[in-house]
């Protein structure tokens, strides 16, 4: 009777053992697992942290008992292989029970990989974690809840790192991702596609720092930050997702061939040692297209390798074709898929790679919920076979990816795919599938019918000798010559036939249509920009001719306000969250002022820092420089504005920590509602006490820390030497004729100065909370906000009320009016009633989806 010994009990090991046992019921199959859990859902761990998966037990696919009952495989949990004797075919393992030897006829190594721990100081400190097992995820979640984590850093911008970041953001935790390489998702996405994803993540609240290396954890007893070459980044939690390393140390001195710790196998998944095989994250397999060795530690690959190996062990009639590195990832409001070779990898492998990047509707434009895919398709110009594909969009990118996987695996050329009869109905797809449309465009390009410039070629400057022509439906490129496609019925008088012109529209289609007309009319040097303005950042130089108003308006939306004393300079507003910045951030701002401005900075009344006198050409370099330090520009438009707070408990009078609260408000509403248009700007300020240093009541919504005295009048002795009365800064405490204390609660501002000042404990009791003012404003028409009647007891109540106020303003405000005007028009009692009930939250989705206030009323 054959004995197959499998070391490793997660994906590849359990799949191999179960499948082989089904093929050969007479064989003895033994599985050793180092841990107590087998077959757990490693890919689901980020979603457990984010709360999408609610129960720890849902992560465990199979218990050892259930697995044995289903498959007939004998399972030993808690046993770790420590020695493999290849001559005598015996594996020595250890557990708490001692040492045991396991003999085998055939050995399968499926020990997987462990999370890599960065070689930096302080990784043994509480608050630093890696994520590889369900236990890791449970410990991270427990730490978040017990430590009330508000700021987190993820090291590594691969799939797992970005998924972790997304799920931390879902818990309203401020997230930064630090990546040592110059791009996110390196080696799986080309840099042009990765940059689009990075921009999207940053716009949706995840700060990405690429080309930045971590050097040490910061903190005394627990993690308080991360030291990087971009400075110290504050955080209470650091999760390393910077790759994995194969668990193969126990194979030293066995003679098994390895590459950087991975076990080298052939197409039968066999090592160089007879009767020893390897699958899963510890195995170095081959690339299906190039035949070259490739490590692909993916759960999908591990399961397929296990299934194929079981058949190989049974009758040897199959072989493993290799991996394509297929992957898909869900991110905030965006999905990404990829398969095959990147453009860079295809060129390196010797293919004559031809690529095209296009923007496609994912469903007919008229169907509710329709959006777009951005697809990059790569093929070999000689064989016309697809080599790889990358796709991003809000829809079913997995479907597009899987079609490409099938095409690559079948080895078919573009021409075979031209009429691929894929399923169509408006709820699912366009009449011609987006994938097939991509095939058509790449066909046209290879056939010489479509002359284009890729996004990476445009970024590298290949269009510097070309005049940019805007062919969008409406003019969209400030300073560019605009041509309406439908008006072109012959040569354009002011454009010579031999002039080099780059045609640009919103997505690329109109550029192609105009190009075909112009070429028919004799134009010889036309290029269409692939992906159009949806993919590329196209700008016209205004040197010597003045910046048009529409461009001034656009950059204002980025936080750059025109310096009216100059023809082409702007003042850049740097968002400081609440007026508090780190030394590293301060250094980055001052350095940016030296490099890109006139070396001067100024504070606005809302505690925003302005870098002065930034030339127009320096706007993009300045933004890129600040992004390296995790800083953004902005704070303009009819939106929630940056949050202002006083210094709170670091002040002798501070009652609450406004930095902490304003940080949460910043993340949830300045960032979380960044794309929500309002009738006018909406300003929020947080004061730590009723001294009102930052004037909360002159904001659309102001929050003031409160300490409400709860008098125990029965303790008053009428001593007539009343310390609380003498302490009261606004003199509202009085004593009656008997010397008993009197408090006018209608005039008390809840400053808390009287608390614990009475020797007889009259003033020992108090309630901490928050007073909320609504409808204030400063500027041309100053108006003090009106306090709501309720004292709010918790931060969550405050955050919920802020959200209701924003939703009310968006839903019931008239474009152009301030929140104060809305309250006056609706009536304070009406507004307060709505803010103290939940109807606004119940209508939230409908409210945010409504296309209202598209212009807004903010002028600064």
């Amino acid at each position: 009777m054959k004995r197959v010994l499998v070391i490793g009990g997660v994906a590849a090991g359990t799949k191999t053992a179960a499948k082989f046992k089904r093929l050969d019921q007479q064989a003895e199959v033994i599985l050793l697992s180092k841990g107590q859990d087998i077959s757990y859902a490693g890919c689901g761990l980020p979603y457990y942290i984010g709360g999408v998966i609610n129960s720890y037990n849902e992560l465990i696919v199979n218990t050892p008992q259930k697995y044995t009952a289903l498959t007939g495989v004998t399972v030993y949990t808690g046993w770790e292989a420590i020695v493999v004797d290849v001559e005598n075919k015996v594996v020595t393992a250890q557990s708490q029970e001692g040492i045991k030897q396991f003999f085998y006829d055939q050995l399968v190594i499926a020990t997987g990989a462990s999370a890599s721990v960065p070689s930096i100081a302080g990784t043994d400190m509480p608050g630093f974690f890696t994520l590889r097992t369900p236990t890791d995820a449970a410990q991270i979640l427990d730490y978040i809840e017990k430590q009330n984590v508000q700021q987190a850093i993820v090291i590594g911008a691969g799939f797992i790192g970005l998924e972790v970041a997304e799920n931390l953001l879902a818990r309203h935790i401020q997230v930064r991702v630090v990546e040592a390489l110059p791009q996110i998702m390196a080696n799986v996405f080309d840099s042009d596609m990765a940059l689009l994803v990075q921009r999207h993540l940053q716009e949706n609240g995840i700060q990405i720092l690429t080309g930045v290396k971590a050097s040490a954890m910061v903190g005394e007893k627990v993690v308080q930050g991360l030291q990087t070459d971009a400075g110290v980044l504050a955080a209470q939690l650091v999760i390393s997702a910077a790759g994995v390393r194969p668990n193969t140390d126990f194979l030293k001195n066995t003679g098994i061939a390895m590459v950087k710790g991975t076990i080298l196998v052939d197409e039968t998944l066999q090592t160089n040692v007879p009767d020893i095989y390897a699958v899963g994250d510890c195995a170095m397999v081959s690339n299906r297209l190039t035949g070259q060795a490739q490590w692909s530690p993916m759960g999908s690959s591990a399961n397929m390798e296990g299934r194929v190996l079981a058949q190989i062990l049974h009758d040897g009639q199959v072989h493993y074709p290799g991996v394509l590195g297929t992957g898909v990832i869900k991110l905030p409001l965006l999905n990404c898929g990829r398969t095959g070779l990147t453009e860079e990898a295809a060129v390196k492998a010797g293919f004559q790679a031809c690529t095209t990047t296009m923007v496609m509707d994912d469903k007919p434009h008229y169907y509710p919920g329709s959006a777009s895919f951005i697809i990059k398709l790569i093929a070999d110009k000689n064989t016309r076979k697809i080599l790889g594909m990358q796709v991003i969009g809000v829809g079913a990118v997995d479907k597009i990816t899987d079609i490409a996987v099938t095409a690559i695996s079948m080895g078919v050329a573009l021409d075979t795919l031209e009429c691929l009869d894929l399923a169509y109905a408006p709820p699912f797809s366009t009449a011609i599938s987006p994938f097939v449309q991509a095939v058509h465009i790449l066909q046209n390009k290879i056939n010489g019918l479509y002359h284009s410039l890729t996004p990476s070629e445009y970024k590298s400057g290949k269009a510097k000798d070309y005049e940019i022509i805007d062919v969008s439906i409406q003019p969209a490129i400030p300073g560019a010559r605009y041509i309406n496609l439908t008006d072109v019925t012959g040569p354009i008088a002011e454009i010579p036939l031999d002039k080099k012109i780059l045609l640009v529209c919103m997505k690329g289609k109109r550029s192609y249509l105009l190009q075909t007309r112009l070429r028919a009319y004799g134009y010889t040097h036309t290029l269409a920009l692939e992906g159009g303005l949806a993919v590329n950042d196209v700008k016209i130089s205004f040197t010597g001719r003045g910046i048009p108003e529409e461009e001034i308006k656009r950059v204002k939306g980025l936080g750059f306000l025109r310096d009216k004393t100059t023809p082409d300079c702007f003042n850049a507003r740097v968002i400081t969250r609440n007026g508090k910045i780190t030394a590293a951030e301060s250094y980055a701002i001052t350095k940016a002022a030296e490099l890109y401005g006139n070396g001067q900075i100024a504070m606005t009344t809302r505690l925003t820092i302005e870098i002065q006198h930034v030339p127009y050409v320096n706007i993009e370099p300045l933004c890129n420089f600040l992004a390296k330090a995790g800083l953004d520009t902005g704070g303009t438009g009819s939106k929630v504005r940056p949050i202002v707070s006083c210094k709170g408990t670091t002040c002798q009078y501070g009652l609450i920590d406004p930095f902490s609260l304003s940080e949460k408000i910043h993340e949830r509403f300045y960032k979380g509602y960044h794309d929500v248009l309002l009738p006018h700007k909406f300003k929020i300020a947080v004061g730590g006490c009723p001294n009102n240093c930052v004037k909360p009541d002159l904001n659309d919504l102001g929050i003031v820390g409160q300490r409400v005295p709860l008098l125990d009048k029965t303790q008053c002795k009428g001593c007539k030497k009343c310390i609380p009365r003498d302490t009261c800064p606004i003199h509202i405490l009085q004593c009656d004729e008997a010397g008993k204390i009197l408090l006018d609660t209608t005039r008390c501002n809840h400053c808390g100065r009287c608390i614990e000042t009475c020797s007889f404990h009259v003033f020992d009791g108090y309630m901490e909370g928050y007073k909320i003012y609504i409808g204030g404003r400063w500027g041309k028409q100053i108006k003090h906000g009106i306090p709501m009647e309720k004292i709010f007891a918790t931060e969550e109540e405050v955050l919920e009320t802020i959200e209701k106020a924003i939703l009310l303003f968006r839903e019931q405000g008239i474009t152009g009016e301030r929140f104060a005007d809305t309250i006056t028009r609706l009536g304070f009692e009406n507004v307060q009633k709505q803010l103290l009930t939940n109807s606004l939250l119940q209508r939230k989705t409908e409210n945010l989806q409504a296309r209202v206030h598209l212009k807004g009323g903010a002028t600064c």
Side-chain angles (χ1 to χ4, degrees), residues 45-63:
L45 301 181
Y47 304 99
Y48 176 63
I49 293 172
V52 178
I53 298 171
N54 295 315
S55 170
Y56 178 91
N57 292 331
E58 292 179 55
L59 297 171
I60 309 302
V61 179
N62 259 321
T63 63

Side-chain angles (χ1 to χ4, degrees), residues 20 83 146 155 200 368 370 448 466 476 494 497 503 505 529 587 631 651 810:
F20 180 73
V83 176
K146 287 183 177 178
I155 301 176
H200 172 86
S370 64
Y466 284 72
E494 61 270 27
L497 295 179
L503 305 172
C505 64
L529 184 57
Y587 174 78
L631 294 165
C651 168
R810 175 174 168 80

Side-chain angles (χ1 to χ4, degrees), residues 80-373:
E80 179 183 5
I82 54 175
V83 176
V84 176
D85 182 348
V86 299
E87 295 295 331
N88 297 303
K89 291 190 171 182
V90 61
V91 172
T92 302
Q94 66 179 9
S95 74
Q96 292 180 344
E97 301 175 23
I99 302 292
K100 186 178 179 67
Q101 290 186 323
F102 296 86
F103 292 88
Y104 65 85
D105 295 311
Q106 291 172 310
L107 174 65
V108 177
I109 303 170
T111 46
S114 299
S116 295
V117 178
S119 299
I120 60 177
T123 55
D124 56 346
M125 194 180 299
F128 174 85
F129 295 89
T130 57
L131 180 62
R132 186 66 179 173
T133 69
T135 300
D136 295 334
Q139 290 174 344
I140 290 170
L141 188 55
D142 183 64
Y143 192 85
I144 288 171
E145 293 173 347
K146 287 183 177 178
Q147 300 299 320
N148 189 27
V149 170
Q150 300 298 317
Q151 294 175 303
I153 293 171
V154 178
I155 301 176
F159 277 17
I160 295 297
L162 296 180
E163 286 172 342
V164 170
E166 180 206 13
N167 283 279
L168 290 173
L169 184 69
R171 288 193 169 273
H172 303 297
I173 295 172
Q174 179 188 341
V175 189
R176 286 174 172 167
V177 178
V178 175
E179 172 57 63
L181 295 174
Q183 71 165 78
I184 66 172
M185 299 187 291
N187 302 318
V188 293
F189 272 74
D190 282 309
S191 59
D192 50 356
M193 295 290 281
L195 182 59
L196 296 176
V197 178
Q198 181 175 334
R199 287 175 178 168
H200 172 86
L201 292 175
Q202 290 176 162
E203 290 170 358
N204 284 274
I206 297 177
Q207 293 183 341
I208 308 286
L209 282 70
T210 53
V212 173
K213 295 181 180 179
S215 55
M217 306 305 301
V218 176
E220 295 183 5
K221 296 182 180 179
V222 297
V223 168
Q224 294 176 312
L226 181 69
Q227 177 70 57
T228 73
D229 52 16
V232 175
L233 307 178
Q236 297 104 31
L237 171 71
V238 175
I239 300 176
S240 176
V244 294
R245 56 176 181 79
N247 299 320
T248 56
D249 289 346
F250 72 103
L251 297 176
K252 292 178 180 178
N253 304 318
T254 60
I256 295 175
M258 291 192 283
V259 179
K260 295 182 179 180
T262 61
I263 303 167
L264 192 61
V265 298
D266 61 16
E267 64 180 12
T268 65
L269 300 169
Q270 185 170 207
T271 70
N272 62 312
V273 176
D275 294 322
I276 297 182
Y277 301 79
V279 284
D281 292 359
C282 64
M284 175 72 79
V285 293
S286 62
N287 182 281
R288 193 172 301 188
L289 287 164
T290 67
Q292 300 299 308
Q294 179 169 319
W295 187 36
S296 184
M298 301 280 286
S300 52
S301 302
N303 275 281
M304 286 184 285
E305 290 164 22
R307 186 179 193 280
V308 171
L309 177 55
Q311 297 173 77
I312 291 170
L313 295 175
H314 178 59
D315 58 20
Q317 297 301 306
V318 298
H319 71 277
Y320 185 63
V323 295
L324 289 174
T326 305
V328 66
I329 180 174
K330 174 186 174 294
L331 296 172
L333 304 176
L334 190 74
N335 303 316
C336 310
R338 61 91 57 207
T339 190
L341 302 177
T342 62
E343 179 182 4
E344 181 181 357
V347 172
K348 187 176 180 180
F351 291 102
Q352 191 174 355
C354 183
T355 77
T356 188
T357 302
M358 64 227 78
V359 183
M360 301 289 184
D361 292 339
D362 61 356
K363 301 178 186 69
H365 66 87
Y366 57 80
Y367 191 82
S370 64
S372 296
F373 289 132

Side-chain angles (χ1 to χ4, degrees), residues 756-816:
E756 297 181 344
T757 59
C758 177
S759 302
F760 302 105
H761 309 293
V762 176
F763 283 86
D764 282 8
Y766 63 90
M767 179 187 75
E768 288 192 320
Y770 309 85
K771 181 179 286 188
I772 295 180
Y773 292 80
I774 57 174
R777 68 180 173 209
W778 59 34
K780 300 178 183 68
Q781 300 180 50
I782 295 175
K783 182 178 177 61
H784 289 271
I786 305 172
M788 295 178 65
E789 62 186 26
K790 177 181 177 179
I791 300 296
F792 296 86
T794 66
E795 285 188 351
E796 194 53 44
E797 282 185 294
V798 173
L799 293 168
E800 189 175 89
T801 304
I802 295 171
E803 184 161 31
K804 292 175 186 177
I806 296 169
L807 292 172
L808 184 146
F809 189 34
R810 175 174 168 80
E811 179 185 78
Q812 299 168 37
I814 298 172
T815 300

